[in-house]
Amino acid sequence: MIGQMLVIGFWGEKPGTKSEKALKEHLRAGQAGGVLFLRHNAKTGKGVRDLAKGFLSVDAPAQILTAIDQEGGCVQRLGEDLGFTDIPTARQLSAMDIGAVISLLQGAAKEMAEAGFNMNLAPSVDVHKAGNPVIGKYGRAFGQNADEIEPLARTFIRAFESAGVRTVLKHFPGHGTTRGDSHDGFVDVSDSWTEAEMEPFKRLSSDASSIMTAQLFHKDYSDDGAPMSLSQKAVTGLLENKMGYGGAIMTDDLDMAAVHKRYSREEAITRAI
């Protein structure tokens, strides 16, 4: 059961690599539960489709997750160059006609499912704040508060979930007001984060399949200086107990600098579990 909690990345852009074969064996044995595709795995349309469908074909103890970031804008691994629909940023979607948004997202979701993917690591329901280096800078937020974020994020979620692609709300408890990027290193949100940033997660938690926790530090919700993804105070105390969430939880990438600069991979995985 612990093995099936792990969604693991791999090397290669087409079937037949040593890394792909090893991961398939782990999936078959129940020592992994899913596969994470990153940009380096999505080089050609045929290659990425063959890989995803190949992983899904493995005879595993439970359904295998094939996960990828298909958020839109610069956070979109399956792009036009690979034969997929281009998804505008959340900020751009918020300025479009809602009918056009629904049609575009339904088409993108159908393409994703047909390509062999059943989990979209999206949408971001962080708030927009100018100057933020990881959300605001790239137009990844649907709005500045929960009232603006909720309707479009729900439209995004429903389009993908109805096509059989699980969605993941990120980055709990909110990455939108941070002054740093947890991809690059330690980020302390103790003085910038407010509880209002949790509101979009609360409103949308029953619509999406999962919530992703962020690699951020907060003095009130971090255990022994750990990122909140690895902290009981945040995951159990804040997300489950205070917000009342009872669904699936996943961490942001454990290879991000905010984690790997401090913990070995083994310790990070153990803490997350």
Side-chain angles (χ1 to χ4, degrees):
M1 290 175 68
I2 290 173
Q4 290 172 62
M5 293 171 69
L6 305 179
V7 179
I8 301 175
F10 67 102
W11 290 107
E13 59 192 65
K14 58 185 178 180
T17 66
K18 181 179 178 181
S19 182
E20 181 227 17
K21 291 176 181 177
L23 184 47
K24 281 185 173 179
E25 286 303 312
H26 281 76
L27 292 165
R28 192 172 288 112
Q31 295 170 338
V35 183
L36 171 66
F37 283 70
L38 292 172
R39 198 177 303 280
H40 61 78
N41 304 120
K43 297 293 187 181
T44 68
K46 183 179 187 309
V48 77
R49 289 176 174 88
D50 288 348
L51 281 167
K53 292 175 181 177
F55 283 121
L56 286 181
S57 71
V58 172
D59 183 15
Q63 185 184 26
I64 294 164
L65 296 175
T66 47
I68 197 166
D69 290 282
Q70 195 70 349
E71 183 181 314
C74 66
V75 188
Q76 180 176 348
R77 311 298 185 220
L78 306 172
E80 282 185 308
D81 58 327
L82 305 185
F84 292 85
T85 296
D86 181 57
I87 304 174
T89 66
R91 193 166 181 82
Q92 290 168 334
L93 287 174
S94 68
M96 291 170 57
D97 172 77
I98 188 62
V101 171
I102 292 171
S103 178
L104 185 149
L105 292 176
Q106 287 178 339
K110 184 171 182 278
E111 289 175 353
M112 193 174 174
E114 289 175 347
F117 291 94
N118 59 27
M119 175 172 272
N120 186 358
L121 302 175
S124 165
V125 293
D126 302 292
V127 300
H128 173 77
K129 184 175 182 180
N132 173 272
V134 65
I135 305 298
K137 179 180 178 179
Y138 299 106
R140 297 173 67 188
F142 290 106
Q144 298 184 58
N145 54 58
D147 288 340
E148 293 178 357
I149 293 168
E150 181 183 359
L152 270 173
R154 180 168 284 119
T155 297
F156 187 105
I157 291 164
R158 286 178 176 172
F160 283 90
E161 294 277 351
S162 63
V165 179
R166 296 168 177 82
T167 52
V168 182
L169 304 179
K170 59 186 187 185
H171 308 79
F172 183 88
H175 211 317
T177 63
T178 64
R179 292 183 289 271
D181 184 348
S182 51
H183 291 86
D184 301 327
F186 181 83
V187 178
D188 186 345
V189 299
S190 303
D191 296 327
S192 61
W193 180 83
T194 67
E195 286 196 17
E197 294 183 59
M198 282 203 309
E199 188 62 23
F201 295 93
K202 186 174 183 178
R203 295 188 188 185
L204 296 161
S205 62
S206 60
D207 293 81
S209 292
S210 181
I211 288 180
M212 178 186 290
T213 54
Q215 312 296 11
L216 304 171
F217 170 84
H218 191 292
K219 61 181 177 61
D220 295 332
Y221 302 111
S222 291
D223 300 342
D224 303 320
M228 284 188 272
S229 271
L230 310 183
S231 299
Q232 187 177 21
K233 288 179 182 177
V235 177
T236 302
L238 187 62
L239 177 53
E240 295 183 329
N241 294 345
K242 187 164 187 174
M243 202 181 89
Y245 180 65
I249 301 168
M250 67 189 304
T251 72
D252 207 343
D253 195 336
L254 294 178
D255 276 338
M256 291 167 65
V259 175
H260 80 69
K261 284 185 176 180
R262 178 167 182 181
Y263 305 102
S264 68
R265 180 166 292 146
E266 291 81 359
E267 185 176 4
I269 292 170
T270 302
R271 279 177 169 262
I273 291 167

